[in-house]
Amino acid sequence: MSQFLSQLNGTLRRFFATPVSSLLNVLVIGIALSLPTGLYVLLQNAQGIIERFAAAPQLSVFLTLDTKADEVAQLRKRLEQHSAIASVEFVSRAQALEQLKQGSGLGDVIGGLEHNPLPDTFIVHPKTGSVQALEALRDELKSWRRLERVQLDSDWARRLEALLDFARTALLLLAALLALSLVAITFNTIRLQILTRRDEIEVAKLIGASSSFIRRPFLQFGLLQGLLGGLAAWGIIATALILLNLSLADLARLYDSSFILNQLSPADGCTLLAFSAFLGWLGAWMSVTQHLRKIEPR
Amino acid sequence: MIRFDHVSKRYPGGHPALSDVSFDIAEGEMVFLTGHSGAGKSTLLKLIAAIERPNGGSVLVNGQNVGALKPAAIPYLRRNLGLIFQGQKLLFDRNVFDNVLLPLQICGFNHRESAQRVRAALDKVGLLNREKINPIALSGGEQQRLCIARAIVNRPSILLADEPTANLDAEYAGEIMNIFRAFHQVGSTLLISTHDESLIRQGDARTISLKHGELAA
């Protein structure tokens, strides 16, 4: 253990002995990792929006504008008694208009309307969320009188979900490519280190150093470089999100919204660090396995 | 302690470096290995340290067949040996103290005990007051003594030295031989190769002579 720590100490000293090249390496790794990480953060944010809508599947049932109050009551009763429906909410034309004024930022425009153009609406919560059940219910309701339109509210969310699946595949490909580049960067860094420390390795082998003793500082270096690269990526992403949110705040204010992009969660951040540290270690391990074998005392 | 049993060694594409060499060295013995240059002295020492492997016969160190050791076992053999080899490398990226410290770091000694041992080893070779300087600033004789300090700091039971007095003037050579005699007196086994006849005549030790890779009578 103390041997491990004293070797770690030596590794740290070596890392900071050439601060410029070490930091440039860390920066290269950080930038490479920040691309897939940034895409991941954007996808997470999009995912959050979708889930808010897709989590509780519901149907919006719009009535024709000339539906009378007693017909509305009948329809409501009929809907509530339907075996596939869990609950029904009624949003009157007046309520709908009020909500639109509040929520869209178009209050002034709506205030200038002569007539309320909105219909009475039922929000129908079905008992099951499966796509088939929802579509069957929609098709059945379409045939009822006085129902102008039946809309499956999760439709667009599902389409977006499919789009996100595509984006996730792209993310995986990008991440795999850049992970490979991280391994390659570390492989090369360690190769150069082994070459410059050839004498030391030869002497160490001659006086009885085990191969794990000789490999350890290089593995530590790769791990450290990967870890700091991951940290740099996290920092780049966090800074970028803060900047994006600043300009997003202006945009959102124009739309009366308070939408902001969420930061990388601590758990995801730690996964990033673990992943980048592992890749650094892997690059170092490959390099050490490849190059140390060739150095033997003569 | 060291036993060669019909050992032969041929380098790829070359003439035999050693052929049918057999001898025994007892524990605590000091032995000189002599012969003209190219007689196989260095090869013989390298076989003991498992730097080279024999093509025939067996090399036993402490009853272990060195030629048949697995690579993972070689470090543990070498920790038992103090090696002072020709053209061996001191590390010029660290000071005298840290050069001698390296074998102890490898064996995992703690900090305080290491420091004591390093100073004791430097004291024995007369370099105690030079511990902070870079070995590049040492004279040839001092560098050779530093190599000896590094070889003995681990208190190995066997010391192998390949031409330890080559390129040194008589006075330095005499100093170094005195250091070796002191080790012999505390019970270490020594095998020292040299072509310097004057050192051998002074010595009270057995001599093994090689001629063209074979034992000369």
Short mmCIF file of all heavy atoms in Angstrom, two decimals, chain A residues 164-222:
data_model
loop_
_atom_site.label_atom_id
_atom_site.label_comp_id
_atom_site.label_asym_id
_atom_site.label_seq_id
_atom_site.Cartn_x
_atom_site.Cartn_y
_atom_site.Cartn_z
N LEU A 164 -35.74 10.47 -30.97
CA LEU A 164 -34.70 10.43 -29.94
C LEU A 164 -33.95 9.10 -29.98
O LEU A 164 -32.75 9.06 -29.74
CB LEU A 164 -35.32 10.64 -28.56
CG LEU A 164 -35.66 12.08 -28.18
CD1 LEU A 164 -36.06 12.15 -26.73
CD2 LEU A 164 -34.50 13.00 -28.45
N ASP A 165 -34.67 8.02 -30.28
CA ASP A 165 -34.01 6.72 -30.40
C ASP A 165 -32.92 6.78 -31.46
O ASP A 165 -31.81 6.29 -31.26
CB ASP A 165 -35.03 5.64 -30.79
CG ASP A 165 -35.65 5.02 -29.56
OD1 ASP A 165 -35.05 5.19 -28.46
OD2 ASP A 165 -36.71 4.39 -29.68
N PHE A 166 -33.26 7.44 -32.55
CA PHE A 166 -32.30 7.62 -33.63
C PHE A 166 -31.09 8.42 -33.12
O PHE A 166 -29.93 8.05 -33.33
CB PHE A 166 -32.98 8.34 -34.78
CG PHE A 166 -32.04 8.76 -35.87
CD1 PHE A 166 -31.53 7.82 -36.76
CD2 PHE A 166 -31.67 10.09 -36.00
CE1 PHE A 166 -30.66 8.21 -37.74
CE2 PHE A 166 -30.80 10.48 -36.98
CZ PHE A 166 -30.29 9.53 -37.87
N ALA A 167 -31.38 9.52 -32.41
CA ALA A 167 -30.31 10.38 -31.90
C ALA A 167 -29.44 9.61 -30.91
O ALA A 167 -28.23 9.79 -30.86
CB ALA A 167 -30.89 11.62 -31.24
N ARG A 168 -30.08 8.71 -30.14
CA ARG A 168 -29.32 7.93 -29.15
C ARG A 168 -28.34 6.99 -29.84
O ARG A 168 -27.21 6.82 -29.38
CB ARG A 168 -30.29 7.14 -28.27
CG ARG A 168 -30.29 7.63 -26.84
CD ARG A 168 -31.29 6.90 -26.00
NE ARG A 168 -32.31 7.84 -25.57
CZ ARG A 168 -33.60 7.68 -25.75
NH1 ARG A 168 -34.06 6.60 -26.36
NH2 ARG A 168 -34.43 8.58 -25.32
N THR A 169 -28.77 6.40 -30.94
CA THR A 169 -27.87 5.53 -31.70
C THR A 169 -26.68 6.34 -32.21
O THR A 169 -25.52 5.90 -32.13
CB THR A 169 -28.61 4.89 -32.88
OG1 THR A 169 -29.83 4.33 -32.38
CG2 THR A 169 -27.78 3.81 -33.53
N ALA A 170 -26.99 7.53 -32.73
CA ALA A 170 -25.91 8.40 -33.21
C ALA A 170 -24.96 8.73 -32.06
O ALA A 170 -23.74 8.73 -32.23
CB ALA A 170 -26.50 9.68 -33.80
N LEU A 171 -25.53 8.99 -30.88
CA LEU A 171 -24.71 9.31 -29.71
C LEU A 171 -23.77 8.15 -29.38
O LEU A 171 -22.58 8.35 -29.11
CB LEU A 171 -25.62 9.60 -28.51
CG LEU A 171 -24.93 9.72 -27.15
CD1 LEU A 171 -24.05 10.95 -27.11
CD2 LEU A 171 -25.94 9.77 -26.03
N LEU A 172 -24.32 6.94 -29.42
CA LEU A 172 -23.49 5.77 -29.09
C LEU A 172 -22.32 5.65 -30.06
O LEU A 172 -21.19 5.38 -29.65
CB LEU A 172 -24.34 4.50 -29.15
CG LEU A 172 -25.05 4.15 -27.86
CD1 LEU A 172 -25.88 2.88 -28.04
CD2 LEU A 172 -24.02 3.94 -26.75
N LEU A 173 -22.60 5.86 -31.34
CA LEU A 173 -21.53 5.76 -32.34
C LEU A 173 -20.46 6.81 -32.07
O LEU A 173 -19.27 6.52 -32.08
CB LEU A 173 -22.11 5.96 -33.74
CG LEU A 173 -22.85 4.76 -34.30
CD1 LEU A 173 -23.51 5.10 -35.62
CD2 LEU A 173 -21.86 3.61 -34.50
N LEU A 174 -20.92 8.04 -31.82
CA LEU A 174 -19.99 9.14 -31.57
C LEU A 174 -19.16 8.84 -30.33
O LEU A 174 -17.93 9.01 -30.32
CB LEU A 174 -20.78 10.43 -31.38
CG LEU A 174 -19.97 11.71 -31.23
CD1 LEU A 174 -19.25 12.02 -32.53
CD2 LEU A 174 -20.88 12.88 -30.85
N ALA A 175 -19.83 8.37 -29.28
CA ALA A 175 -19.13 8.09 -28.02
C ALA A 175 -18.10 6.99 -28.23
O ALA A 175 -16.97 7.08 -27.73
CB ALA A 175 -20.14 7.67 -26.95
N ALA A 176 -18.47 5.96 -29.01
CA ALA A 176 -17.53 4.86 -29.23
C ALA A 176 -16.29 5.36 -29.97
O ALA A 176 -15.16 5.03 -29.61
CB ALA A 176 -18.21 3.75 -30.02
N LEU A 177 -16.52 6.20 -31.00
CA LEU A 177 -15.39 6.72 -31.77
C LEU A 177 -14.47 7.55 -30.90
O LEU A 177 -13.25 7.41 -30.93
CB LEU A 177 -15.91 7.59 -32.93
CG LEU A 177 -16.30 6.83 -34.19
CD1 LEU A 177 -16.89 7.80 -35.20
CD2 LEU A 177 -15.07 6.16 -34.76
N LEU A 178 -15.06 8.43 -30.08
CA LEU A 178 -14.23 9.33 -29.29
C LEU A 178 -13.58 8.60 -28.13
O LEU A 178 -12.47 8.95 -27.71
CB LEU A 178 -15.05 10.53 -28.84
CG LEU A 178 -15.39 11.41 -30.05
CD1 LEU A 178 -16.47 12.41 -29.74
CD2 LEU A 178 -14.15 12.14 -30.55
N ALA A 179 -14.24 7.55 -27.64
CA ALA A 179 -13.61 6.72 -26.61
C ALA A 179 -12.35 6.07 -27.19
O ALA A 179 -11.30 6.01 -26.55
CB ALA A 179 -14.59 5.65 -26.13
N LEU A 180 -12.48 5.64 -28.44
CA LEU A 180 -11.34 5.04 -29.12
C LEU A 180 -10.20 6.05 -29.23
O LEU A 180 -9.03 5.72 -29.03
CB LEU A 180 -11.79 4.60 -30.52
CG LEU A 180 -11.07 3.41 -31.13
CD1 LEU A 180 -11.24 2.19 -30.25
CD2 LEU A 180 -11.62 3.14 -32.52
N SER A 181 -10.55 7.31 -29.53
CA SER A 181 -9.50 8.32 -29.66
C SER A 181 -8.84 8.58 -28.32
O SER A 181 -7.64 8.81 -28.24
CB SER A 181 -10.07 9.61 -30.25
OG SER A 181 -10.73 10.36 -29.27
N LEU A 182 -9.63 8.52 -27.24
CA LEU A 182 -9.04 8.70 -25.91
C LEU A 182 -8.03 7.60 -25.62
O LEU A 182 -6.92 7.85 -25.13
CB LEU A 182 -10.16 8.69 -24.86
CG LEU A 182 -9.85 9.18 -23.46
CD1 LEU A 182 -11.13 9.52 -22.73
CD2 LEU A 182 -9.07 8.17 -22.65
N VAL A 183 -8.42 6.37 -25.95
CA VAL A 183 -7.50 5.25 -25.74
C VAL A 183 -6.23 5.46 -26.56
O VAL A 183 -5.11 5.26 -26.08
CB VAL A 183 -8.18 3.92 -26.12
CG1 VAL A 183 -7.18 2.78 -26.12
CG2 VAL A 183 -9.32 3.61 -25.15
N ALA A 184 -6.40 5.93 -27.80
CA ALA A 184 -5.24 6.14 -28.67
C ALA A 184 -4.33 7.23 -28.13
O ALA A 184 -3.10 7.09 -28.13
CB ALA A 184 -5.71 6.49 -30.08
N ILE A 185 -4.93 8.32 -27.63
CA ILE A 185 -4.12 9.41 -27.08
C ILE A 185 -3.29 8.90 -25.91
O ILE A 185 -2.08 9.14 -25.82
CB ILE A 185 -5.04 10.57 -26.61
CG1 ILE A 185 -5.71 11.25 -27.80
CG2 ILE A 185 -4.24 11.59 -25.80
CD1 ILE A 185 -6.86 12.16 -27.41
N THR A 186 -3.94 8.16 -25.00
CA THR A 186 -3.22 7.66 -23.84
C THR A 186 -2.15 6.66 -24.25
O THR A 186 -1.03 6.68 -23.71
CB THR A 186 -4.19 6.98 -22.85
OG1 THR A 186 -5.37 7.76 -22.79
CG2 THR A 186 -3.58 6.89 -21.49
N PHE A 187 -2.50 5.81 -25.20
CA PHE A 187 -1.54 4.81 -25.68
C PHE A 187 -0.24 5.50 -26.11
O PHE A 187 0.85 5.11 -25.73
CB PHE A 187 -2.17 4.07 -26.87
CG PHE A 187 -1.31 2.97 -27.43
CD1 PHE A 187 -1.40 1.68 -26.92
CD2 PHE A 187 -0.42 3.21 -28.46
CE1 PHE A 187 -0.63 0.66 -27.43
CE2 PHE A 187 0.37 2.20 -28.97
CZ PHE A 187 0.26 0.91 -28.45
N ASN A 188 -0.40 6.58 -26.87
CA ASN A 188 0.77 7.26 -27.39
C ASN A 188 1.54 8.01 -26.30
O ASN A 188 2.77 7.98 -26.27
CB ASN A 188 0.33 8.23 -28.49
CG ASN A 188 1.44 8.48 -29.47
OD1 ASN A 188 2.21 7.58 -29.79
ND2 ASN A 188 1.56 9.71 -29.91
N THR A 189 0.80 8.67 -25.41
CA THR A 189 1.47 9.37 -24.29
C THR A 189 2.34 8.40 -23.51
O THR A 189 3.49 8.69 -23.18
CB THR A 189 0.42 9.96 -23.32
OG1 THR A 189 -0.57 10.63 -24.08
CG2 THR A 189 1.06 10.91 -22.35
N ILE A 190 1.77 7.24 -23.21
CA ILE A 190 2.49 6.27 -22.39
C ILE A 190 3.67 5.68 -23.16
O ILE A 190 4.74 5.44 -22.62
CB ILE A 190 1.53 5.16 -21.91
CG1 ILE A 190 0.43 5.76 -21.04
CG2 ILE A 190 2.28 4.09 -21.14
CD1 ILE A 190 0.89 6.44 -19.79
N ARG A 191 3.48 5.51 -24.47
CA ARG A 191 4.59 4.99 -25.29
C ARG A 191 5.80 5.93 -25.20
O ARG A 191 6.93 5.49 -24.99
CB ARG A 191 4.14 4.86 -26.74
CG ARG A 191 5.17 4.23 -27.66
CD ARG A 191 4.63 4.14 -29.07
NE ARG A 191 4.52 5.45 -29.68
CZ ARG A 191 5.50 6.07 -30.32
NH1 ARG A 191 6.66 5.48 -30.44
NH2 ARG A 191 5.32 7.27 -30.83
N LEU A 192 5.52 7.24 -25.31
CA LEU A 192 6.62 8.20 -25.23
C LEU A 192 7.26 8.16 -23.86
O LEU A 192 8.48 8.24 -23.72
CB LEU A 192 6.09 9.62 -25.52
CG LEU A 192 5.67 9.85 -26.97
CD1 LEU A 192 5.04 11.21 -27.14
CD2 LEU A 192 6.89 9.71 -27.87
N GLN A 193 6.45 8.04 -22.82
CA GLN A 193 7.00 7.97 -21.46
C GLN A 193 7.90 6.76 -21.28
O GLN A 193 8.96 6.84 -20.66
CB GLN A 193 5.87 7.88 -20.44
CG GLN A 193 5.25 9.21 -20.15
CD GLN A 193 4.44 9.15 -18.89
OE1 GLN A 193 4.44 8.14 -18.18
NE2 GLN A 193 3.74 10.21 -18.60
N ILE A 194 7.45 5.63 -21.84
CA ILE A 194 8.25 4.41 -21.69
C ILE A 194 9.59 4.60 -22.39
O ILE A 194 10.64 4.23 -21.87
CB ILE A 194 7.48 3.20 -22.27
CG1 ILE A 194 6.31 2.88 -21.35
CG2 ILE A 194 8.40 1.99 -22.39
CD1 ILE A 194 5.37 1.82 -21.90
N LEU A 195 9.55 5.23 -23.57
CA LEU A 195 10.80 5.44 -24.30
C LEU A 195 11.75 6.33 -23.51
O LEU A 195 12.94 6.04 -23.40
CB LEU A 195 10.51 6.08 -25.67
CG LEU A 195 9.87 5.14 -26.69
CD1 LEU A 195 9.63 5.85 -28.00
CD2 LEU A 195 10.75 3.92 -26.90
N THR A 196 11.22 7.42 -22.92
CA THR A 196 12.12 8.33 -22.20
C THR A 196 12.60 7.72 -20.88
O THR A 196 13.61 8.15 -20.35
CB THR A 196 11.46 9.69 -21.90
OG1 THR A 196 10.26 9.44 -21.17
CG2 THR A 196 11.14 10.45 -23.16
N ARG A 197 11.89 6.72 -20.38
CA ARG A 197 12.30 6.14 -19.09
C ARG A 197 12.89 4.75 -19.28
O ARG A 197 12.91 3.94 -18.36
CB ARG A 197 11.10 6.11 -18.14
CG ARG A 197 10.64 7.51 -17.77
CD ARG A 197 9.41 7.46 -16.91
NE ARG A 197 9.70 6.84 -15.63
CZ ARG A 197 8.76 6.35 -14.84
NH1 ARG A 197 7.51 6.38 -15.20
NH2 ARG A 197 9.09 5.83 -13.68
N ARG A 198 13.38 4.50 -20.46
CA ARG A 198 13.91 3.18 -20.80
C ARG A 198 15.01 2.74 -19.83
O ARG A 198 15.00 1.61 -19.34
CB ARG A 198 14.48 3.27 -22.22
CG ARG A 198 14.69 1.93 -22.81
CD ARG A 198 15.50 2.00 -24.09
NE ARG A 198 15.81 0.64 -24.43
CZ ARG A 198 15.05 -0.10 -25.21
NH1 ARG A 198 14.00 0.41 -25.78
NH2 ARG A 198 15.36 -1.37 -25.43
N ASP A 199 15.96 3.65 -19.54
CA ASP A 199 17.07 3.31 -18.64
C ASP A 199 16.55 2.88 -17.27
O ASP A 199 17.00 1.89 -16.70
CB ASP A 199 17.99 4.53 -18.45
CG ASP A 199 18.87 4.74 -19.66
OD1 ASP A 199 18.79 3.91 -20.58
OD2 ASP A 199 19.61 5.73 -19.67
N GLU A 200 15.62 3.67 -16.77
CA GLU A 200 15.08 3.38 -15.44
C GLU A 200 14.41 2.01 -15.42
O GLU A 200 14.56 1.25 -14.47
CB GLU A 200 14.08 4.48 -15.08
CG GLU A 200 13.55 4.35 -13.68
CD GLU A 200 12.53 5.43 -13.35
OE1 GLU A 200 12.45 6.41 -14.11
OE2 GLU A 200 11.83 5.28 -12.35
N ILE A 201 13.67 1.71 -16.48
CA ILE A 201 12.97 0.42 -16.54
C ILE A 201 13.98 -0.72 -16.57
O ILE A 201 13.83 -1.73 -15.87
CB ILE A 201 12.05 0.38 -17.78
CG1 ILE A 201 10.92 1.40 -17.62
CG2 ILE A 201 11.49 -1.01 -17.99
CD1 ILE A 201 10.20 1.72 -18.89
N GLU A 202 15.04 -0.53 -17.38
CA GLU A 202 16.06 -1.56 -17.48
C GLU A 202 16.74 -1.81 -16.12
O GLU A 202 16.91 -2.96 -15.70
CB GLU A 202 17.11 -1.13 -18.50
CG GLU A 202 17.44 -2.20 -19.50
CD GLU A 202 18.30 -1.66 -20.62
OE1 GLU A 202 19.53 -1.70 -20.46
OE2 GLU A 202 17.75 -1.18 -21.63
N VAL A 203 17.10 -0.72 -15.47
CA VAL A 203 17.74 -0.85 -14.15
C VAL A 203 16.79 -1.52 -13.17
O VAL A 203 17.18 -2.42 -12.42
CB VAL A 203 18.18 0.54 -13.64
CG1 VAL A 203 18.57 0.45 -12.17
CG2 VAL A 203 19.33 1.08 -14.45
N ALA A 204 15.54 -1.09 -13.20
CA ALA A 204 14.57 -1.64 -12.25
C ALA A 204 14.42 -3.15 -12.46
O ALA A 204 14.36 -3.92 -11.50
CB ALA A 204 13.22 -0.93 -12.40
N LYS A 205 14.40 -3.57 -13.73
CA LYS A 205 14.28 -5.01 -13.99
C LYS A 205 15.52 -5.74 -13.50
O LYS A 205 15.42 -6.85 -12.98
CB LYS A 205 14.09 -5.25 -15.50
CG LYS A 205 12.69 -4.96 -15.96
CD LYS A 205 12.39 -5.58 -17.32
CE LYS A 205 10.90 -5.45 -17.63
NZ LYS A 205 10.54 -6.00 -18.92
N LEU A 206 16.67 -5.10 -13.65
CA LEU A 206 17.92 -5.73 -13.25
C LEU A 206 18.00 -5.91 -11.74
O LEU A 206 18.64 -6.85 -11.25
CB LEU A 206 19.09 -4.87 -13.74
CG LEU A 206 20.45 -5.54 -13.87
CD1 LEU A 206 20.35 -6.71 -14.82
CD2 LEU A 206 21.46 -4.53 -14.38
N ILE A 207 17.40 -5.01 -11.00
CA ILE A 207 17.51 -5.15 -9.54
C ILE A 207 16.24 -5.74 -8.95
O ILE A 207 15.99 -5.60 -7.76
CB ILE A 207 17.89 -3.83 -8.85
CG1 ILE A 207 16.92 -2.73 -9.21
CG2 ILE A 207 19.30 -3.42 -9.22
CD1 ILE A 207 17.36 -1.38 -8.71
N GLY A 208 15.47 -6.43 -9.77
CA GLY A 208 14.44 -7.29 -9.21
C GLY A 208 13.07 -6.67 -9.07
O GLY A 208 12.29 -7.08 -8.21
N ALA A 209 12.76 -5.66 -9.93
CA ALA A 209 11.41 -5.11 -9.87
C ALA A 209 10.44 -6.07 -10.53
O ALA A 209 10.72 -6.59 -11.61
CB ALA A 209 11.37 -3.76 -10.58
N SER A 210 9.32 -6.32 -9.89
CA SER A 210 8.30 -7.16 -10.51
C SER A 210 7.67 -6.36 -11.64
O SER A 210 7.75 -5.14 -11.68
CB SER A 210 7.24 -7.54 -9.48
OG SER A 210 6.62 -6.38 -9.00
N SER A 211 7.02 -7.09 -12.57
CA SER A 211 6.48 -6.35 -13.71
C SER A 211 5.34 -5.43 -13.24
O SER A 211 5.15 -4.36 -13.82
CB SER A 211 6.02 -7.29 -14.81
OG SER A 211 5.01 -8.12 -14.33
N SER A 212 4.62 -5.82 -12.17
CA SER A 212 3.55 -4.93 -11.72
C SER A 212 4.12 -3.63 -11.15
O SER A 212 3.53 -2.56 -11.31
CB SER A 212 2.64 -5.62 -10.71
OG SER A 212 3.32 -5.82 -9.51
N PHE A 213 5.30 -3.72 -10.52
CA PHE A 213 5.94 -2.50 -10.00
C PHE A 213 6.29 -1.56 -11.15
O PHE A 213 6.13 -0.35 -11.05
CB PHE A 213 7.20 -2.87 -9.23
CG PHE A 213 7.99 -1.69 -8.69
CD1 PHE A 213 7.72 -1.19 -7.43
CD2 PHE A 213 8.97 -1.08 -9.46
CE1 PHE A 213 8.43 -0.11 -6.93
CE2 PHE A 213 9.68 0.01 -8.97
CZ PHE A 213 9.40 0.50 -7.69
N ILE A 214 6.77 -2.15 -12.25
CA ILE A 214 7.19 -1.33 -13.38
C ILE A 214 5.98 -0.75 -14.12
O ILE A 214 6.00 0.39 -14.56
CB ILE A 214 8.07 -2.16 -14.33
CG1 ILE A 214 9.38 -2.49 -13.61
CG2 ILE A 214 8.35 -1.43 -15.62
CD1 ILE A 214 10.25 -3.48 -14.32
N ARG A 215 4.92 -1.55 -14.22
CA ARG A 215 3.75 -1.09 -14.96
C ARG A 215 2.95 -0.04 -14.20
O ARG A 215 2.33 0.83 -14.80
CB ARG A 215 2.80 -2.27 -15.21
CG ARG A 215 3.39 -3.38 -16.00
CD ARG A 215 2.60 -4.65 -15.80
NE ARG A 215 1.35 -4.58 -16.49
CZ ARG A 215 1.08 -5.26 -17.60
NH1 ARG A 215 1.99 -6.08 -18.07
NH2 ARG A 215 -0.05 -5.15 -18.20
N ARG A 216 2.96 -0.15 -12.87
CA ARG A 216 2.01 0.63 -12.08
C ARG A 216 2.06 2.13 -12.35
O ARG A 216 1.00 2.74 -12.55
CB ARG A 216 2.22 0.33 -10.58
CG ARG A 216 1.05 0.78 -9.73
CD ARG A 216 1.22 0.41 -8.28
NE ARG A 216 1.24 -1.03 -8.08
CZ ARG A 216 2.14 -1.66 -7.32
NH1 ARG A 216 3.07 -0.99 -6.70
NH2 ARG A 216 2.08 -2.97 -7.19
N PRO A 217 3.27 2.77 -12.37
CA PRO A 217 3.26 4.22 -12.58
C PRO A 217 2.63 4.62 -13.92
O PRO A 217 1.95 5.64 -13.98
CB PRO A 217 4.75 4.60 -12.58
CG PRO A 217 5.48 3.44 -12.08
CD PRO A 217 4.61 2.24 -12.17
N PHE A 218 2.82 3.79 -14.94
CA PHE A 218 2.25 4.12 -16.24
C PHE A 218 0.72 3.98 -16.21
O PHE A 218 0.00 4.80 -16.78
CB PHE A 218 2.85 3.24 -17.32
CG PHE A 218 4.34 3.41 -17.46
CD1 PHE A 218 5.21 2.43 -17.03
CD2 PHE A 218 4.85 4.58 -17.99
CE1 PHE A 218 6.58 2.60 -17.15
CE2 PHE A 218 6.23 4.76 -18.11
CZ PHE A 218 7.09 3.77 -17.68
N LEU A 219 0.26 2.93 -15.54
CA LEU A 219 -1.18 2.74 -15.44
C LEU A 219 -1.81 3.87 -14.63
O LEU A 219 -2.87 4.39 -14.97
CB LEU A 219 -1.50 1.39 -14.78
CG LEU A 219 -1.01 0.17 -15.57
CD1 LEU A 219 -1.37 -1.12 -14.83
CD2 LEU A 219 -1.62 0.14 -16.95
N GLN A 220 -1.11 4.25 -13.55
CA GLN A 220 -1.60 5.38 -12.74
C GLN A 220 -1.68 6.63 -13.59
O GLN A 220 -2.65 7.39 -13.52
CB GLN A 220 -0.67 5.63 -11.55
CG GLN A 220 -0.79 4.59 -10.45
CD GLN A 220 0.26 4.79 -9.38
OE1 GLN A 220 1.27 5.46 -9.58
NE2 GLN A 220 0.03 4.22 -8.20
N PHE A 221 -0.65 6.85 -14.41
CA PHE A 221 -0.61 8.05 -15.23
C PHE A 221 -1.79 8.07 -16.21
O PHE A 221 -2.48 9.08 -16.36
CB PHE A 221 0.71 8.12 -16.00
CG PHE A 221 0.99 9.47 -16.60
CD1 PHE A 221 1.80 10.37 -15.95
CD2 PHE A 221 0.42 9.84 -17.81
CE1 PHE A 221 2.04 11.62 -16.50
CE2 PHE A 221 0.66 11.08 -18.37
CZ PHE A 221 1.48 11.97 -17.70
N GLY A 222 -2.02 6.93 -16.86
CA GLY A 222 -3.13 6.84 -17.81
C GLY A 222 -4.46 7.09 -17.13
O GLY A 222 -5.31 7.84 -17.63
#
